[in-house]
Amino acid sequence: MKRIYNKVYHAAMAALMLTATTACTGDNDPLQSNDVPPTGRPVTITATYQGAGTPDGTDAQTRTSYDYNVSNNTVKVTWKAGDKIYIINSENLKEGSSLTDAGFEEFTLEGEAEQATGTFKNENSTLDMNKQLYAVYCGNNASSKISVITITGFSGNSIKVYSFSMTGQRQTANNTAAHLADYDLMCATVNANAATKSFNFTHVNAILRLHLALPYGRHTVKEVKVACSANSLAQSITVNPATEKVATANLANSCILKYGSGDNGVTVTSENAILAFMMVSSNPIYKNNEITITATCTDGTFSTKITPSEDFVMTRGTLNTIEATLTKENN
């Protein structure tokens, strides 16, 4: 039996209220509202969940600790200890091999973790709160995983974009979603004339959940591969920070999820089922295209072929589930 369905995963409005406290200057004069001290000053950002997600996936969501609820097929998210977000004044955006090289400032969670509200702080910020701001989030080591490059847009104009790789996903245990944050790229933009400086993070990708039944026996899974007959799975994407949308995508025919923390894989014991989570590109081309799902185990290769229905559109910010039974290949 094969079942395919999708559902919005718990998304929430991240209202980021920016407040600044100033350090002492040489003459102790207070800073004016549009001044940026040459040595920076502490800036604290508070992020609070407000409301729930919407089917179009445009509602905001912050990271971070991913808790799958099997009863209603949703993923609950809360801030996680050590979470970081990166912010820059848009006019200062430059090319760089990492976010920090491109000029972004790093803000670290300093409040209590596993909560819907988190406080982020940079002790030496030079952000100008009266100008447009870009923000980005993507799990651990985000600064080194996202670069800023220049591309030629559809209008012929050159624009700076975020370049983000979708490769290298690894799930360290069966039925865990902890790795998703590192590929759940989220962006936010605040216009210079905004009445309040608050961010609404927008998802770029979608979650694909796989419930794959294996034949009776003991199976140690090393890799799960999803392949499509059409170019629909992105190896890398570029995102326009101003519109928070994908500008270009390096499309491929497959997405690979490594299983286990090393080469030994993960032994599946619960109901002989692989419970895997992949962060994939949001692309409606999945529907009506044949998909091959393959699990590489120490005792052989198991696979199946499915064709998603019309409503399987993989909208960004949604959780999409495929349930299928794998059979052993001739190996």
Side-chain angles (χ1 to χ4, degrees):
M1 179 179 71
K2 304 170 184 175
R3 288 193 293 166
I4 308 169
Y5 51 95
N6 63 346
K7 191 164 185 175
V8 175
Y9 64 98
H10 184 59
M13 192 75 69
L16 302 186
M17 298 170 289
L18 283 70
T19 60
T21 59
T22 62
C24 292
T25 59
D27 56 7
N28 291 323
D29 288 337
L31 294 169
Q32 300 302 311
S33 61
N34 59 352
D35 284 344
V36 178
T39 57
R41 78 293 196 200
V43 170
T44 299
I45 295 174
T46 303
T48 306
Y49 288 114
Q50 296 178 344
T54 55
D56 63 6
T58 58
D59 223 351
Q61 173 187 313
T62 49
R63 156 152 342 157
T64 92
S65 180
Y66 289 77
D67 182 16
Y68 177 70
N69 187 325
V70 67
S71 64
N72 59 10
N73 193 41
T74 60
V75 171
K76 177 183 178 182
V77 291
T78 56
W79 289 116
K80 185 176 180 180
D83 270 344
K84 300 179 187 297
I85 57 177
Y86 295 82
I87 306 174
I88 191 174
N89 286 120
S90 59
E91 64 182 28
N92 296 331
L93 186 65
K94 60 183 180 181
E95 289 194 36
S97 58
S98 68
L99 289 180
T100 48
D101 286 344
F104 281 83
E105 295 184 3
E106 182 180 274
F107 288 75
T108 304
L109 179 69
E110 64 170 11
E112 185 178 357
E114 309 301 335
Q115 301 292 322
T117 298
T119 301
F120 293 77
K121 192 169 187 178
N122 181 309
E123 292 287 354
N124 193 35
S125 174
T126 59
L127 291 176
D128 188 335
M129 299 303 172
N130 295 316
K131 295 181 179 179
Q132 187 182 57
L133 297 169
Y134 291 157
V136 67
Y137 171 84
C138 188
N140 297 323
N141 303 314
S143 177
S144 61
K145 293 191 309 184
I146 306 172
S147 59
V148 177
I149 62 174
T150 301
I151 65 171
T152 301
F154 295 115
S155 62
N157 296 327
S158 294
I159 58 173
K160 289 184 176 63
V161 296
Y162 307 141
S163 179
F164 177 66
S165 175
M166 298 292 292
T167 61
Q169 296 187 57
R170 179 179 289 272
Q171 184 171 320
T172 58
N174 201 32
N175 198 27
T176 178
H179 60 291
L180 290 178
D182 291 343
Y183 293 88
D184 194 2
L185 179 61
M186 291 177 277
C187 305
T189 299
V190 176
N191 293 327
N193 59 356
T196 58
K197 296 297 185 183
S198 61
F199 291 116
N200 295 331
F201 275 109
T202 300
H203 288 287
V204 176
N205 300 313
I207 297 174
L208 176 60
R209 175 181 176 268
L210 302 171
H211 185 286
L212 308 173
L214 291 167
Y216 178 79
R218 184 181 178 89
H219 306 283
T220 299
V221 185
K222 302 185 74 173
E223 180 182 290
V224 178
K225 179 180 180 180
V226 177
C228 189
S229 57
N231 281 329
S232 57
L233 294 146
Q235 294 293 308
S236 62
I237 55 178
T238 62
V239 178
N240 185 336
T243 62
E244 302 160 9
K245 295 180 180 179
V246 173
T248 63
N250 177 21
L251 297 177
N253 292 338
S254 65
C255 182
I256 295 175
L257 175 70
K258 295 293 185 181
Y259 231 59
S261 56
D263 294 335
N264 294 329
V266 174
T267 300
V268 174
T269 57
S270 177
E271 302 176 351
N272 280 342
I274 299 171
L275 301 172
F277 294 85
M278 289 182 177
M279 192 64 72
V280 296
S281 56
S282 53
N283 195 330
I285 201 170
Y286 290 93
K287 63 183 180 182
N288 297 329
N289 282 289
E290 185 177 75
I291 292 177
T292 300
I293 301 174
T294 304
T296 302
C297 305
T298 55
D299 61 329
T301 303
F302 302 82
S303 64
T304 190
K305 295 181 184 293
I306 63 171
T307 302
S309 60
E310 278 286 339
D311 61 353
F312 195 75
V313 295
M314 298 296 287
T315 304
R316 63 183 183 173
T318 60
L319 172 70
N320 309 263
T321 294
I322 294 176
E323 295 190 2
T325 298
L326 304 183
T327 57
K328 191 170 185 178
E329 296 182 355
N330 294 326
N331 51 28

